[in-house]
């Protein structure tokens, strides 16, 4: 260090207030351009949303990937060489206020909102029937007890004849924005066996009860369990026991950098592997370049096609285990020979980069799951392109 540099540094330190702190991390380099050309059949939709909103391309890409993942996760798993994996993913998009995150999310999730509105109307229509059915069931049980008073066997037979308690119609929500871990478990138990944690205001989730000091590790562990496709096993004094196999839940959370710093800087969440299971983008801002322009008419046609495809996928009945309606058992899509060869090559490449001095050594936990992320995304792209796909082809894997 030269004398001039030393003196300049000393002057700068002296000018700092005594309680000021130096930043812990260096500024990040500019983000690389998002590879929209790798989105396959979703590329046109992402680019149409970008043309309409002029938001960063990465935000638009994450939004359509998240929506497509939500739509296909109850239809298929993927058969990777290590074994069967669910088509669930957790996406995080980091962008400041004013980057049009909400506008992008509104377009990408429009088919989901329409489906939820139809479910709401159906539920209202079923509510009266359910209430009457439950009252009739309760009355039948009381009548059985009175008719066979003192005869245990006769009472039991009569109660058996009354049948099981009617089940309430499921909630109309497919998306939940601010669940506690307990609330998410109850939603997956009492509503439908698949859901999505989606919000364009990540501060509501990260700053809420789900990631409070008391809950954040439970929330992180639950997301890990769902990403891995393992059954939920929970016992609570107030809410009882829940053993829930065959559940699927994906996520797309958009947040400002100050919120992301709180989430991504949490050493415990990193330590349990939550961040390794998360796909993150933090694009450069487009603010200042968004001169008003009319949306090209071609965008309307493209977004209609996207909406129709997503709605068709969402309306397909979920694939459940035999004799059940609430345990998902989606068939795993195998990899074509070309897709398998590409996946194995990528797996070996990333594995080598985990070694000392390798490109992924400093993010080893995430690097170790890169090939699995790739396999899941390839299957999502394959099913979106062809809902009746019998395998993941080489183009989707590439």
């Amino acid at each position: 260090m030269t004398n001039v540099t030393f003196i300049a540094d000393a002057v700068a330190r002296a000018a700092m207030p005594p309680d000021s702190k130096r930043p812990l991390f260096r500024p990040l380099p500019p983000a690389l351009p998002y590879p929209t050309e790798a989105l396959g059949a979703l590329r046109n939709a992402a680019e149409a949303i970008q043309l309409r909103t002029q938001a960063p391309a990465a935000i638009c890409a994450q939004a359509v990937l998240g929506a497509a993942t939500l739509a296909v996760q109850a239809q298929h798993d993927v058969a990777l060489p290590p074994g069967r994996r669910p088509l669930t993913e957790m996406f995080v998009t980091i962008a400041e206020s004013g980057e049009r995150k909400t506008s992008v999310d509104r377009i990408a999730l429009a088919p989901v909102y329409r489906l939820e509105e139809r479910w709401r109307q159906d539920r209202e229509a079923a509510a009266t029937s359910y209430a009457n059915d439950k009252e009739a069931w309760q009355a039948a049980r009381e009548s059985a007890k009175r008719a066979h008073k003192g005869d245990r066997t006769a009472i039991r037979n009569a109660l058996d004849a009354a049948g099981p308690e009617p089940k309430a119609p499921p909630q109309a929500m497919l998306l939940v924005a601010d669940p506690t871990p307990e609330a998410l478990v109850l939603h997956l138990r009492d509503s439908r066996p698949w859901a999505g944690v989606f919000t364009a205001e990540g501060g509501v989730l990260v700053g809420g009860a789900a990631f409070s000091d008391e809950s954040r590790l439970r929330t992180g562990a639950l997301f890990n369990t769902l990403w891995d496709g393992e059954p939920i096993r929970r016992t609570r004094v107030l809410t009882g026991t829940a053993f829930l196999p065959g559940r699927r839940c994906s996520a797309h959370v958009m947040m400002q950098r100050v919120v992301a710093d709180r989430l991504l800087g949490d050493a415990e969440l990193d330590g349990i592997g939550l961040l390794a299971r998360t796909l993150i983008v933090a694009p450069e801002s487009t603010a200042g370049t968004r001169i008003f322009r009319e949306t090209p008419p071609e965008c309307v046609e493209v977004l209609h096609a996207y909406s129709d495809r997503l709605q068709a996928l969402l309306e397909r009945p979920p694939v459940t285990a035999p004799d059940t309606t609430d345990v998902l058992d989606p068939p795993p899509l195998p990899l074509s020979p070309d897709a398998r060869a590409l996946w194995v090559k990528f797996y070996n490449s990333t594995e080598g980069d985990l070694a000392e001095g390798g490109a992924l050594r400093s993010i080893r936990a995430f690097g170790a799951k890169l090939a699995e992320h790739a396999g899941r995304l390839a299957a999502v792209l394959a099913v979106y392109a062809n809902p009746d796909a019998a395998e993941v082809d080489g183009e989707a894997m590439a």
Side-chain angles (χ1 to χ4, degrees):
M1 179 181 291
T2 66
N3 288 340
V4 173
T5 304
F6 179 85
I7 293 170
D9 186 60
V11 170
R13 286 200 307 273
M16 295 174 66
D19 60 346
S20 64
K21 298 179 180 179
R22 293 172 179 265
L24 184 59
F25 303 108
R26 296 178 181 178
L28 292 173
L32 296 173
Y34 192 94
T36 52
E37 69 279 359
L39 285 174
L42 280 169
R43 177 179 181 175
N44 286 345
E47 291 182 341
I49 295 175
Q50 202 275 330
L51 284 170
R52 174 175 286 188
T53 64
Q54 299 191 65
I59 297 179
C60 305
Q62 287 276 88
V64 296
L65 269 176
T69 302
L70 175 73
V72 307
Q73 64 182 356
Q75 305 296 325
H76 284 288
D77 288 346
V78 61
L80 298 177
R84 175 175 174 171
R85 296 291 188 267
L87 296 190
T88 56
E89 276 293 4
M90 294 186 289
F91 302 93
V92 167
T93 297
I94 303 169
E96 300 304 331
S97 297
E99 294 298 336
R100 302 179 176 173
K101 301 185 294 296
T102 301
S103 297
V104 170
D105 215 36
R106 189 180 297 119
I107 298 171
L109 293 176
V112 181
Y113 298 147
R114 286 197 298 271
L115 178 68
E116 287 183 322
E117 174 58 23
R118 196 181 76 213
W119 283 352
R120 185 190 65 79
Q121 294 173 2
D122 291 345
R123 190 174 195 277
E124 285 187 355
T128 300
S129 176
Y130 162 70
N132 293 341
D133 194 18
K134 186 171 182 179
E135 282 197 31
W137 174 78
Q138 291 171 333
R141 289 177 65 86
E142 292 302 320
S143 176
K145 294 174 187 177
R146 290 193 300 269
H148 302 285
K149 189 173 182 179
D151 188 337
R152 180 177 176 180
T153 300
I155 291 174
R156 186 180 63 235
N157 291 338
L159 292 176
D160 287 343
E165 180 178 355
K167 189 174 181 179
Q171 295 295 326
M173 292 192 305
L174 182 58
L175 304 179
V176 288
D178 181 24
T180 62
E182 292 78 14
L184 183 56
V185 169
L186 291 176
H187 182 78
L188 291 168
R189 184 191 73 181
D190 299 334
S191 189
R192 293 171 176 82
W194 78 103
V197 178
F198 280 59
T199 178
E201 293 294 341
V204 174
L205 178 67
V206 178
F211 285 92
S212 67
D213 290 342
E214 296 77 19
S215 299
R216 58 192 176 86
L217 285 182
R218 295 202 308 275
T219 299
L222 176 59
F223 279 130
N224 285 353
T225 296
L226 291 166
W227 192 86
D228 293 340
E230 296 296 325
I232 298 171
R233 303 170 186 269
R234 193 203 63 177
T235 300
R236 294 290 185 274
V237 172
L238 296 179
T239 55
T241 298
F243 172 60
L244 306 176
R247 264 52 181 183
R248 299 289 185 269
C249 185
S250 292
H252 181 204
V253 183
M254 298 182 175
M255 61 186 73
Q256 293 85 1
R257 186 170 296 279
V258 66
V259 180
D261 287 346
R262 178 173 173 179
L263 177 69
L264 305 181
D266 191 314
E268 289 184 318
L269 292 178
D270 188 22
I272 66 173
L274 177 65
L275 304 186
R277 293 169 169 83
T278 304
L279 296 172
I280 304 169
V281 297
E284 297 298 302
S285 173
T286 57
T289 67
R290 302 172 302 197
I291 306 302
F292 177 82
R293 65 187 182 207
E294 299 292 346
T295 303
E298 295 81 6
C299 289
V300 175
E301 183 178 345
V302 168
L303 291 177
H304 274 314
Y306 162 79
S307 181
D308 290 346
R309 173 56 54 86
L310 209 64
Q311 185 168 339
L313 288 167
L314 288 164
E315 290 179 344
R316 283 194 162 199
V319 182
T320 57
D323 302 322
T324 71
T325 59
D326 60 357
V327 177
L328 295 175
D329 188 24
L333 276 180
L335 306 185
S336 72
D338 288 346
R340 181 184 175 89
L342 284 169
W343 188 89
V344 169
K345 183 179 180 180
F346 182 64
Y347 174 89
N348 289 336
S349 174
T350 56
E351 181 64 24
D353 282 338
L354 300 177
E356 291 295 335
L360 299 174
R361 177 63 183 84
S362 63
I363 50 170
R364 176 178 283 181
F366 178 71
K369 295 191 181 299
L370 265 177
E372 186 166 340
H373 281 300
R376 293 177 186 224
L377 292 174
V380 170
L381 294 179
V383 176
Y384 177 83
N386 177 12
D388 297 316
E391 63 182 10
V392 179
D393 58 24
E395 181 179 357
M397 186 63 73

